[in-house]
Amino acid sequence: MADATPKANPETVRCTIDGMELEVPKGTRIIDAAARAGIDVPHYCYHPGLSAPAQCRMCLVEVEKAPKLQPSCTATVADGNVIHTQSEKALEARKGVLEFYLVNHPLDCPVCDQSGECKLQDYTAAEGRAMGRLKEPKRVQGRDDFGGDVLFNADRCVMCTRCVRFMREVAQDERLAVVQRGHKNVIDTFFDEGLEGNIWADNIVDLCPVGALVSKDFLHKARAWDLDRAPSICPNCTQGCNVRLETRDNAVMRIKPRPNPEVNAHWMCDYGRLNYEWINREGRIEAPLVRDGDRLVGVSWADALTRLAGALRDVPVRDARAVVSPFMANEDAGALRRVMDVVGGGAGVYRCEAGEEVVLPGFPTLALRPDRAANVHGVELFGFKRAGGTSATGGLDEAAAHRGVLFVLGDELADAPEGFGANASLYVYVGHFASPAARNADFILPATTFAEMEGTFTNIQRRVQRFWPAIQAPGMARPAWQILGVLLAGISDAAPVGTAADAFEALASVRPEFGGLSYTDLAQGGAVLPSFAEAGD
Amino acid sequence: MAYPYRHPSEVLVLSKYFGDPEARTLKGWEARGGYAPLRKALGMTPAEIVNEVKASGLRGRGGAGFPTGVKWSFMPQKSDKPHYLLCNADESEPGTFKDRELIRWTPHALVEGCLIGAYAIRAEHAYIYIRGEFFEPAQILARAIEEAYAAGYAGKNVMGSGIDLDITLHIGAGAYICGEETGLMNSLEGRRGEPRIKPPFPAISGAFGKPSAINNVETLIAAAHIVQNGAEWYKQWGTEKSTGTKLFCVSGHVKRPGNYEVPMGFNFREFIYDVCGGTASGRPIKSVIPGGSSVPMLTADELDIGMDYEAMAAAGTMLGCGSVIIMDDTTNIVKQVRRMVDFYAHESCGQCTPCREGTAWAAKILRRIENGRGTQEDLDTLISISDNMSGKTICVLSDAAAAPIVSSIEKFRGDYLEMMHAGAGVPVASAIAL
């Protein structure tokens, strides 16, 4: 028995779940305790980021000596509890509840946009009745455009009310409500405006355990079961929300939040979520190009970098300027800084679009931050200064007039003045798109975007967070840290940089703030730069 | 204005002034000894009142029969939060109309009961939640509350005692579920009428998140009598565990429908045949629902039982709130049950899946059977659905819907089978319409 031996810690309780003995903190919900033991208790209404109303009745479990089955999402573990999640009584209750769900839920799995991510489908397959007993017609409620990116299929709704509670408790903008009663219950918006204008509303699509709330953006675009998923960081503002890039056919199909209690809990904003098409943009530079008179000639990486190293050694003015994109990784910016230091030092700028800050009221640590790029704080750490206006344009005059070595890293230079870089003794463009200003460069080196590589961003909390490759890089594109790392080894006695971990380790040589952080230990949660953590920033 | 019918076996404690319009007024109520219990209560400590009510054995008359004094003693002893007394006057179980009559004829008795109850639980504010459809009783009650304030029985410094007691009448919008105690609290707070998960129990976190006790109209009026006359006086009636008198409201195929007050434990058969006069038509009784539509049915052979909580439970049913529905042998039980289940399906708040979907599904099956398109398999399905609905939801509305289904199939299976064989010629359109 769980209570046979005395407990070591008075702040914990002991219980037995499905025969496994556990010691959990006092006040732990049974469903969470079960999860610790690796047991997934089926549930719809329960979500760790919301209040638990215990209304779906899916998570009922048998607790010995309790007269009735207990909702494991609200019942907490008491010392000595013996809990059965798979007993005949519990399984019978779940089977019954699942049958009730199917009374009015259409079995349109083949066309439902949830395409396999449906908990009703999963649970019914795992524990439901083999054959339904329903002979009656199902009620029909149709669908509704909730505004924003959200489309509502009322017939598929399981009335878990997660969406209503999210808007009430987290977004604190109560735009959804349950209307009607009984089996006519339906989620509805108050007015025609619906969810329009609330930038957190798409989180309800993630929360919906079935195909009732779907994203218009993703509608009929891909089947969820066809997607590949990679952990990443949202690149669209300095919050650095932990996300998954969900891809198919080497393109990002959608972005979903990934839980991180320190950064974004379970949520992300619609701005970040829906701003991904640029990652899929075609027309990328696919091979290193080297200037040969008026022409740009495609060459091998070895050729390009050997010639670039030679050119840097021979360049008459040993002073560099740079324009860096805040969408580039810490490793990219750090490698550029190291190259610039070898070349003779110099200043650099970055340009970033800016807008209004929109805080999530129920989790104020999270906001759509004013700076709409992921690594503003990272590139600033490497000494690059903000330039230009709030639309990420302008501010290139000094770089355009520079007579020494000019580096551009990631910035597309779409608004650059004519003849940009013409004054430079050597103009090196490391980036993604060959805009007219980029085509003035002596060396055009194709770099990967964050979605195609491994690296880190530094967010507004100075939390350094890793991201992983989600799609294949086009052609010969390589991570900028790799390109610049090889170059650095060619122009100095720096050790070659083979991996992102090497590139990360090298950051500490130019910015001591990164000292003490281990790339491996950053894992999927990231870590705050030690100096900021100590300062309590 | 005499009350329609009085039977010599009745014991008139709560219903003594039914039919006496003078008792509605403050002056009339005072002339009949009204507000003396309040005066007496204010001379006692709250603990003394709770102990007296506890000693009386009074059990809640809203249906569950929980001991009132014990409920009051659950209120926190040391609390810096305000306490609230909530009076549940949302009487809406089909066949139930006793509280309405208490309010209509003796509104001051309820006001007084609320004031005493509030004082006993150390609350300064009592809310009376009355259903919106009770328009006339609500008007009468509002007038009584106004009079009580004007006379100094409510408000600041009640009767010079230094104690403040306020009463607010809250008129609901009409939903059965708002008579469930936590659903009532939600509704009172201006939220959707949905029951809350317990714990926390109302004594810890009730209305507005504060400790609250919630009592039925009849309970609070009985408590005032107990304060005035003592626990022993009250225990002269009833059985050991079900003390006192109780109002029973009788409807259906009965000769003398209405409200009757008899001691707990009164013989049910005698009550139906003698007090209520048997069936209106003189035809044999087919079934009786003893405690409101949410309790299991009894057959005519099962009526020799006491009208108390224990005897009813032993007979496989419940005393409930004392709503006796009598059905003679012309009753089509299937239609009757279908109507009841329709009611529950309509009134389900829809929060819990088994109730939301189960009540409506059962109603659809029953309607199909009623239209002659049922099969024996449907009866197994109904029993199974009922089992899946019982004891698996936040409140007991789905248990209430399941009770008549299960008991009617157990006891009147023949009615179901008969309907299954009488289905030819029923238009399909009407058969599937709900």
Side-chain angles (χ1 to χ4, degrees):
Chain A
M1 285 292 292
D3 54 350
T5 48
K7 283 186 290 116
N9 185 349
E11 295 306 310
T12 60
V13 288
R14 292 179 129 192
C15 63
T16 304
I17 304 182
D18 293 348
M20 277 177 274
E21 289 197 11
L22 289 182
E23 189 162 336
V24 294
K26 263 186 184 169
T28 303
R29 302 165 196 267
I30 292 176
I31 198 167
D32 295 332
R36 284 181 179 219
I39 300 160
D40 179 23
V41 181
H43 58 277
Y44 291 115
C45 67
Y46 174 69
H47 185 281
L50 303 171
S51 64
Q55 64 187 52
C56 74
R57 315 312 282 181
M58 272 298 287
C59 72
L60 296 181
V61 295
E62 191 176 353
V63 180
E64 283 187 12
K65 295 178 188 163
K68 286 183 184 181
L69 295 173
Q70 299 290 306
S72 60
C73 66
T74 51
T76 53
V77 176
D79 203 30
N81 272 168
V82 180
I83 299 158
H84 304 282
T85 72
Q86 304 294 322
S87 68
E88 198 181 327
K89 260 172 94 175
L91 288 172
E92 201 53 42
R94 290 213 285 274
K95 194 191 265 187
V97 174
L98 285 166
E99 187 178 30
F100 286 136
Y101 275 117
L102 292 172
V103 167
N104 281 313
H105 196 294
L107 293 171
D108 57 357
C109 306
V111 296
C112 170
D113 214 43
Q114 203 72 357
S115 52
E117 291 182 322
C118 171
K119 288 293 179 190
L120 184 60
Q121 184 192 56
D122 294 350
Y123 295 151
T124 302
E127 299 183 348
R129 292 178 67 88
M131 291 291 289
R133 294 181 293 182
L134 181 78
K135 295 176 187 165
E136 324 303 322
K138 298 190 182 203
R139 73 146 154 57
V140 176
Q141 287 183 320
R143 70 183 194 176
D144 195 358
D145 186 342
F146 271 6
D149 182 45
V150 182
L151 191 67
F152 177 54
N153 286 289
D155 297 327
R156 294 182 193 146
C157 178
V158 291
M159 293 306 301
C160 69
T161 70
R162 285 184 186 186
C163 52
V164 178
R165 283 175 285 136
F166 173 82
M167 293 307 292
R168 184 191 304 144
E169 297 166 10
V170 186
Q172 295 180 11
D173 183 9
E174 201 158 346
R175 299 191 188 205
L176 295 178
V178 178
V179 299
Q180 286 283 9
R181 277 201 308 237
H183 77 300
K184 291 177 181 165
N185 257 5
V186 66
I187 308 293
D188 206 351
T189 56
F190 288 99
F191 307 104
D192 287 346
E193 180 191 17
L195 298 169
E196 192 70 51
N198 186 300
I199 70 151
W200 304 102
D202 245 2
N203 286 295
I204 66 174
V205 173
D206 305 332
L207 286 170
C208 184
V210 291
L213 292 166
V214 292
S215 159
K216 287 186 234 170
D217 176 72
F218 185 65
L219 197 66
H220 309 315
K221 200 157 140 188
R223 309 301 290 159
W225 54 61
D226 283 339
L227 297 175
D228 291 318
R229 296 165 177 84
S232 191
I233 301 299
C234 175
N236 294 314
C237 87
T238 53
Q239 179 69 35
C241 285
N242 290 221
V243 298
R244 288 192 321 259
L245 298 186
E246 305 207 346
T247 62
R248 198 195 65 178
D249 298 339
N250 210 38
V252 176
M253 292 284 130
R254 63 180 182 182
I255 301 182
K256 290 272 186 187
R258 180 165 57 89
N260 185 334
E262 306 294 329
V263 181
N264 56 311
H266 308 271
W267 327 116
M268 73 180 296
C269 74
D270 293 0
Y271 174 84
R273 181 194 298 268
L274 298 173
N275 191 6
Y276 62 86
E277 281 297 340
W278 63 268
I279 305 170
N280 301 331
R281 197 173 139 197
E282 293 185 347
R284 294 275 297 275
I285 310 166
E286 296 203 5
L289 302 171
V290 179
R291 180 159 300 284
D292 179 11
D294 291 343
R295 296 187 312 143
L296 286 165
V297 181
V299 295
S300 71
W301 272 113
D303 198 8
L305 292 176
T306 309
R307 288 162 72 169
L308 177 54
L312 283 171
R313 276 195 297 270
D314 298 341
V315 75
V317 184
R318 298 191 66 79
D319 177 25
R321 290 285 182 279
V323 179
V324 177
S325 163
F327 284 93
M328 301 305 279
N330 289 318
E331 292 74 11
D332 300 335
L336 178 63
R337 175 50 69 191
R338 292 176 73 202
V339 169
M340 289 172 75
D341 286 349
V342 170
V343 170
V349 296
Y350 71 89
R351 306 186 301 164
C352 182
E353 191 181 325
E356 190 192 348
E357 180 166 83
V358 188
V359 176
L360 178 59
F363 187 73
T365 314
L366 172 59
L368 167 61
R369 301 294 174 180
D371 288 334
R372 308 288 205 247
N375 206 27
V376 167
H377 299 283
V379 298
E380 280 182 347
L381 275 171
F382 294 103
F384 300 105
K385 307 282 186 216
R386 184 184 291 259
T390 55
S391 57
T393 53
L396 295 177
D397 296 347
E398 198 190 340
H402 185 58
R403 295 186 175 279
V405 181
L406 175 61
F407 289 103
V408 175
L409 177 61
D411 193 314
E412 196 182 331
L413 303 175
D415 64 319
E418 203 173 329
F420 178 87
N423 297 322
S425 55
L426 183 66
Y427 173 14
V428 182
Y429 183 88
V430 185
H432 315 121
F433 297 101
S435 63
R439 295 183 73 83
N440 295 339
D442 299 305
F443 289 85
I444 299 181
L445 306 176
T448 51
T449 67
F450 84 104
E452 298 149 359
M453 61 185 259
E454 200 179 320
T456 62
F457 288 142
T458 304
N459 81 349
I460 195 165
Q461 305 160 318
R462 297 342 186 252
R463 175 176 288 272
V464 182
Q465 303 187 97
R466 285 178 68 177
F467 52 81
W468 284 261
I471 50 178
Q472 296 282 321
M476 295 163 71
R478 296 287 180 270
W481 54 258
Q482 197 175 51
I483 301 166
L484 296 169
V486 174
L487 177 66
L488 195 62
I491 59 172
S492 70
D493 56 359
V497 175
T499 63
D502 293 343
F504 183 79
E505 202 176 317
L507 296 181
S509 68
V510 274
R511 291 310 310 177
E513 287 90 337
F514 284 89
L517 289 185
S518 145
Y519 190 68
T520 313
D521 291 348
L522 291 179
Q524 293 207 14
V528 176
L529 289 170
S531 54
F532 283 90
E534 282 160 23
D537 193 329
Chain B
M1 194 199 316
Y3 202 62
Y5 179 76
R6 290 292 193 190
H7 190 274
S9 300
E10 283 192 80
V11 177
L12 306 182
V13 176
L14 309 167
S15 60
K16 188 174 177 186
Y17 299 110
F18 281 12
D20 175 359
E22 291 301 315
R24 282 179 183 165
T25 64
L26 178 69
K27 223 170 142 187
W29 187 245
E30 285 174 330
R32 284 156 185 77
Y35 289 106
L38 176 62
R39 190 180 303 279
K40 188 176 173 192
L42 294 174
M44 299 163 73
T45 65
E48 284 169 345
I49 299 174
V50 173
N51 287 337
E52 196 66 36
V53 173
K54 230 187 223 180
S56 74
L58 173 65
R59 293 169 68 168
R61 302 300 196 221
F66 193 82
T68 305
V70 175
K71 184 186 268 189
W72 286 358
S73 69
F74 288 157
M75 295 294 283
Q77 294 301 309
K78 287 180 185 169
S79 166
D80 52 358
K81 293 178 182 170
H83 294 184
Y84 294 114
L85 179 89
L86 311 178
C87 171
N88 187 348
D90 190 68
E91 181 176 53
S92 43
E93 179 101 343
T96 313
F97 43 86
K98 65 181 179 67
D99 294 341
R100 184 180 64 188
E101 286 297 271
L102 284 166
I103 295 168
R104 283 177 73 210
W105 293 110
T106 56
H108 281 285
L110 178 58
V111 172
E112 189 171 15
C114 289
L115 294 169
I116 292 171
Y119 175 61
I121 63 159
R122 301 179 308 286
E124 290 189 358
H125 206 131
Y127 287 92
I128 302 175
Y129 186 101
I130 190 166
R131 66 187 292 101
E133 290 92 330
F134 282 3
F135 186 66
E136 185 215 8
Q139 278 185 316
I140 292 169
L141 194 53
R143 174 77 188 134
I145 292 170
E146 214 172 272
E147 285 182 323
Y149 266 98
Y153 293 127
K156 295 277 176 208
N157 190 18
V158 171
M159 297 167 90
S161 63
I163 295 159
D164 302 338
L165 296 169
D166 279 301
I167 294 192
T168 299
L169 181 66
H170 185 103
I171 299 174
Y176 175 66
I177 198 60
C178 291
E180 195 278 341
E181 60 178 10
T182 56
L184 184 151
M185 289 170 194
N186 260 20
S187 176
L188 187 68
E189 291 174 16
R191 298 199 269 149
R192 190 175 155 84
E194 287 178 338
R196 302 175 188 172
I197 187 95
K198 291 186 271 191
F201 291 94
I204 304 300
S205 176
F208 311 105
K210 305 293 187 296
S212 307
I214 182 159
N215 297 109
N216 174 255
V217 170
E218 188 184 350
T219 315
L220 288 167
I221 295 176
H225 283 282
I226 291 163
V227 166
Q228 179 69 4
N229 301 302
E232 289 307 313
W233 166 84
Y234 192 68
K235 282 161 73 175
Q236 68 178 294
W237 300 291
T239 66
E240 191 190 339
K241 289 183 177 170
S242 302
T243 58
T245 64
K246 165 106 190 75
L247 265 180
F248 289 90
C249 34
V250 186
S251 61
H253 296 149
V254 62
K255 189 169 181 184
R256 290 190 291 268
N259 277 289
Y260 298 93
E261 187 175 3
V262 292
M264 285 282 206
F266 198 86
N267 182 274
F268 198 28
R269 183 179 292 279
E270 190 185 333
F271 178 78
I272 293 167
Y273 283 102
D274 183 18
V275 177
C276 307
T279 60
S281 58
R283 297 184 66 90
I285 284 178
K286 184 168 184 175
S287 177
V288 178
I289 302 175
S293 65
S294 62
V295 311
M297 299 171 161
L298 295 174
T299 64
D301 301 334
E302 297 175 309
L303 303 181
D304 278 315
I305 49 175
M307 297 170 78
D308 58 83
Y309 297 106
E310 288 70 32
M312 289 284 178
T317 184
M318 290 189 285
L319 186 75
C321 49
S323 313
V324 180
I325 302 169
I326 294 168
M327 292 169 268
D328 71 17
D329 66 348
T330 62
T331 308
N332 183 320
I333 293 290
V334 181
K335 281 181 188 289
Q336 187 61 34
V337 171
R338 195 267 303 154
R339 279 196 196 104
M340 287 184 211
V341 178
D342 266 356
F343 169 81
Y344 289 107
H346 184 261
E347 297 297 327
S348 163
C349 79
Q351 198 180 191
C352 301
T353 312
C355 179
R356 180 183 68 242
E357 305 294 349
T359 50
W361 184 16
K364 284 180 180 177
I365 295 176
L366 286 163
R367 192 174 290 272
R368 186 158 48 76
I369 295 172
E370 188 184 335
N371 287 322
R373 297 189 301 117
T375 64
Q376 291 209 41
E377 194 190 346
D378 288 327
L379 301 186
D380 298 336
T381 306
L382 280 171
I383 295 281
S384 167
I385 291 174
S386 302
D387 186 42
N388 290 336
M389 281 159 53
S390 301
K392 298 187 178 70
T393 45
I394 292 173
C395 79
V396 292
L397 189 142
S398 64
D399 299 60
I405 299 175
V406 174
S407 64
S408 65
I409 294 176
E410 276 172 4
K411 295 178 180 177
F412 302 100
R413 199 177 185 93
D415 280 39
Y416 283 91
L417 298 178
E418 203 174 299
M419 296 217 79
M420 288 170 191
H421 299 303
V426 176
V428 172
S430 70
I432 58 172
L434 181 62

